[in-house]
Amino acid sequence: MKKLIAAAAILSVPAAVSAQTPDADPQDDLKCAAWSAMIAGQMQDDEKTANAFGLAMTYFIGRYEGATGRDIAKDLTPEIVMDAAGNMEATTEFCAARMESLGRRMEGLGTALKAAGDAEG
C-alpha cells in the first residue's frame, strides 16, 4: 500500500506543477535555446551560472528537436539569434519564466522521490 501511495505522489506532483508552465511552440524553444547559449557564453567567469544556462540550452534544444524531429543546428539561423539578442528584455522574461517552471517541477519531483524513498524506509 505504501508503494502505491508513493507512486501516486510522484505522479501527481509534476502534473500539478506543469499546469503552471508557460505555453510555448517550437519556435519559442528555438529562441530560448539561443538566449540561454548567449547568456552561458557571457557567464564564463561564473561557472555555476554558465552551467545552469548550458543545461537550460540543452532543455530547450531537446524540446525543439523532440517537437519537430529536426536538427536544431539546421534551424537556428542568425536571424533567430539576432531577434533574441535584439529583444533581450522580453526574451529574458519569457525564457526565464520557463526555466523557473522547469526548476519548480524538478524540485517537486525531487520531493516526491524523497517521500517515496522514505515510505519504502
Side-chain angles (χ1 to χ4, degrees), residues 76-92:
L76 188 57
T77 64
E79 292 80 18
I80 291 168
V81 174
M82 294 305 293
D83 180 50
N87 298 302
M88 189 56 93
E89 188 174 323
T91 303
T92 297

Side-chain angles (χ1 to χ4, degrees), residues 108-119:
L109 179 59
T111 300
L113 290 171
K114 182 178 181 328
D118 291 347

